[in-house]
Amino acid sequence: MLINSKGKYAYDDATVLGFTLSALVWGAVGLVIGLSMSLQYILPQLNLGSVFQFGRLRPMHTNILAYGLGIGMEQAVFFFMVTRLTKRQLFFPKMARAQLYLFNIIMVLGTVTLAMGLTQSNEYAEFEWPIDLLIVIMWVMFTINILLTIIKRDEKYMYVSLWFIMATLLSVAMLYIVNNLSIPTGLFKSYHLFAGANSANVQWWFGHNAVGFLFTTPILAALYYFLPKALGVPIYSHRLSIIAFWGIIFMYLWTGAHHLVYTPLPVWIQTLGIAMSMLLIIPSWGSAVNIFMTLLGQWSRVSSHYLTKFFLLGITFYGLQTIQGPTQALRSLSQLVHYTDYIVGHVHMGTMGWVTMILSASAYYFVPKMYGLPHIFSIKLANIHFWLVLVGQLIFTVSLWVSGFIQGFMWKAMNPDGSLQYLFGDALVATYPYHIVSTIGGAIYIVGILVFVFNIIMTIAEGMSLKKSTAGAK
């Protein structure tokens, strides 16, 4: 219970808990699908029927993890942070609860329709138009609730996390609506409003910025809030965080065309995307340096404070991502690694390293706080979780980087007469051992996530038990 100048009110932590549990469920489903896909690389006979073949599982995997786990946990984090940073309850608490139900309805409908093969065939935007409409309704509810809470805040100053939260809400709305403009031809069939190179350009303007405004700005918002809270130290430079914020907001929106190097897209658009991608290193590392400097006097706590490890490794992977990503945009490197396993490894270092580590640390902080507990159910399990996801993620991503370079060189190797030196199947045979290794890494990672899920659930159970006993005593 928080007391402010207008009286007493309680945070709506039940909604935060609902989104947290939903995210954990969808995350477990998405990871199991991902592991089954990895197994299909080395055991093709596991491509069973129509629903369980790789082509159906792949969009299910990406959408369930991106939206079910990622957006699910981010909604929990946003609702938790905004009420604390504004020192007031949500403007529409009941609408937040309705949003929770709508979110899970959307995920069920999206998963079922993708399993049936109903898709718009645009990466990260596969859901068909009726589901898109539901997503827009949910996002409008989310945006109105958060923005009005911020506008009507009882705290005079706006902390940087609120800036990143508002950027996420407004940017995703613009990106999602424009890219999903389509012409329906039936209940579950539509065609992209744009065509040809224009369609590809709009799609990757959305696709890359989905990474920017679903997996960067929300995670930075969480990092800037939970790191100082967990460690009990102020952020190194609030001014640097704002400078980095505006740099990311301006530059990210121009980078999507670097996915379309060596395509029919006009060369000047490709070049603009490459240039902005390289410039994006500056504001990205502005945030990375800010966090490293915040941790400067905290190095001794890495071994003793379980949350410090997650924050430190999370921002480290973010720093690596924001160098690796822009350099991949360069034509000299893009011509070698594009369409290879190297790109898959790059994406997963960000999602498995940067995004999941920060969201895990955030949940480890806010779930006990909601119940007044001193810490998570088991710090030992949290440390086991950390090492499993770290080792699993490194095995997974590094093996795919190596596999990607092998593919790139073999695909482009030429005989003196100009013919290809290797068949496509030769590259498959050469990279087969690396797919086995990556599958092992993925399995280790999933075990770590299951430890995390167990730890969170046990913390919730402990908190609910404490709440009941306290109520009984009164």
Side-chain angles (χ1 to χ4, degrees):
M1 187 77 70
L2 181 72
I3 301 176
N4 73 346
S5 59
K6 299 179 181 178
K8 295 183 177 181
Y9 59 82
Y11 296 126
D12 186 15
D13 288 338
T15 300
V16 174
L17 177 62
F19 275 110
T20 302
L21 291 174
S22 299
L24 294 180
V25 170
W26 288 113
V29 172
L31 287 171
V32 169
I33 292 175
L35 181 61
S36 67
M37 291 164 55
S38 188
L39 286 168
Q40 287 178 354
Y41 265 99
I42 55 179
L43 297 171
Q45 59 268 31
L46 293 179
N47 280 265
L48 303 172
S50 58
V51 174
F52 297 103
Q53 61 176 298
F54 190 92
R56 294 278 178 91
L57 294 181
R58 201 271 178 177
M60 291 167 64
H61 169 70
T62 54
N63 283 276
I64 288 173
L65 288 181
Y67 303 125
L69 174 59
I71 299 302
M73 189 62 78
E74 287 168 10
Q75 288 174 101
V77 167
F78 278 19
F79 282 136
F80 181 90
M81 289 193 301
V82 166
T83 52
R84 271 73 179 178
L85 289 171
T86 60
K87 294 184 178 177
R88 62 154 294 145
Q89 65 186 15
L90 288 174
F91 199 85
F92 294 118
K94 291 183 179 179
M95 189 163 74
R97 195 67 57 87
Q99 180 184 325
L100 170 62
Y101 299 137
L102 181 57
F103 166 73
N104 283 291
I105 290 171
I106 289 168
M107 289 308 305
V108 170
L109 291 175
T111 302
V112 170
T113 52
L114 289 177
M116 295 170 62
L118 302 173
T119 170
Q120 292 187 118
S121 302
N122 284 337
E123 193 163 12
Y124 310 136
E126 283 93 349
F127 294 150
E128 269 293 355
W129 68 270
I131 300 173
D132 286 338
L133 290 178
L134 292 178
I135 291 172
V136 170
I137 292 170
M138 185 198 76
W139 202 260
V140 169
M141 293 166 62
F142 191 27
T143 302
I144 290 174
N145 211 353
I146 294 293
L147 291 184
L148 286 177
T149 304
I150 294 173
I151 291 170
K152 297 295 184 178
R153 66 189 183 277
D154 291 327
E155 169 60 51
K156 178 181 178 181
Y157 298 102
M158 283 184 55
Y159 185 61
V160 64
S161 293
L162 293 178
W163 289 82
F164 280 107
I165 287 171
M166 291 190 295
T168 299
L169 295 172
L170 298 176
S171 298
V172 169
M174 172 184 66
L175 292 161
Y176 198 88
I177 290 173
V178 173
N179 185 58
N180 284 280
L181 292 174
S182 58
I183 303 172
T185 59
L187 183 59
F188 283 103
K189 184 58 186 173
S190 62
Y191 292 93
H192 207 203
L193 181 64
F194 310 94
N198 286 330
S199 176
N201 193 25
V202 171
Q203 158 59 26
W204 280 111
W205 170 73
F206 164 81
H208 190 76
N209 285 294
V211 175
F213 294 97
L214 292 180
F215 298 142
T216 302
T217 53
I219 312 305
L220 285 172
L223 182 60
Y224 275 121
Y225 178 84
F226 290 109
L227 174 66
K229 283 285 188 180
L231 271 61
V233 296
I235 203 73
Y236 172 72
S237 172
H238 190 266
R239 180 175 296 178
L240 180 57
S241 68
I242 296 296
I243 293 172
F245 166 82
W246 284 112
I248 288 173
I249 298 307
F250 175 74
M251 293 174 190
Y252 230 118
L253 290 167
W254 298 88
T255 59
H258 76 216
H259 287 264
L260 299 168
V261 175
Y262 295 113
T263 70
L265 197 70
V267 173
W268 73 268
I269 298 180
Q270 298 179 33
T271 303
L272 177 64
I274 294 170
M276 285 297 181
S277 298
M278 298 305 295
L279 288 172
L280 190 58
I281 295 175
I282 299 171
S284 298
W285 266 85
S287 286
V289 168
N290 207 358
I291 299 302
F292 284 130
M293 294 302 293
T294 303
L295 289 166
L296 191 60
Q298 308 296 320
W299 298 115
S300 60
R301 301 178 66 180
V302 172
S303 60
S304 60
H305 189 259
Y306 67 106
L307 290 181
T308 306
K309 290 194 285 289
F310 282 93
F311 289 126
L312 176 59
L313 268 295
I315 196 62
T316 299
F317 286 124
Y318 174 69
L320 293 173
Q321 277 284 104
T322 52
I323 291 178
Q324 188 185 40
T327 54
Q328 286 172 193
L330 297 172
R331 288 185 174 91
S332 56
L333 184 58
S334 180
Q335 58 85 26
L336 176 66
V337 300
H338 205 46
Y339 305 118
T340 72
D341 288 339
Y342 183 89
I343 304 301
V344 182
H346 163 69
V347 171
H348 282 80
M349 183 176 71
T351 54
M352 296 165 72
W354 154 240
V355 174
T356 309
M357 278 200 165
I358 301 302
L359 288 179
S360 296
S362 301
Y364 277 148
Y365 177 85
F366 74 73
V367 171
K369 287 292 181 183
M370 290 192 299
Y371 295 102
L373 298 172
H375 53 69
I376 200 73
F377 169 73
S378 172
I379 294 176
K380 183 178 181 180
L381 285 178
N383 285 319
I384 293 172
H385 161 214
F386 171 82
W387 288 110
L388 285 171
V389 298
L390 174 61
V391 172
Q393 186 266 136
L394 287 174
I395 293 173
F396 185 90
T397 54
V398 172
S399 61
L400 289 177
W401 294 343
V402 176
S403 173
F405 277 120
I406 292 173
Q407 289 172 330
F409 283 117
M410 291 185 72
W411 291 348
K412 292 168 178 60
M414 307 287 285
N415 292 312
D417 63 357
S419 61
L420 291 174
Q421 189 173 347
Y422 300 103
L423 297 174
F424 185 81
D426 296 330
L428 288 178
V429 172
T431 57
Y432 186 80
Y434 297 95
H435 288 145
I436 295 176
V437 174
S438 69
T439 301
I440 294 171
I444 294 171
Y445 181 88
I446 289 176
V447 172
I449 293 298
L450 292 177
V451 171
F452 164 65
V453 172
F454 175 78
N455 213 356
I456 292 293
I457 290 175
M458 291 304 295
T459 304
I460 293 170
E462 186 178 344
M464 293 177 70
S465 176
L466 177 63
K467 191 175 181 180
K468 286 181 180 179
S469 62
T470 303
K474 290 181 180 179

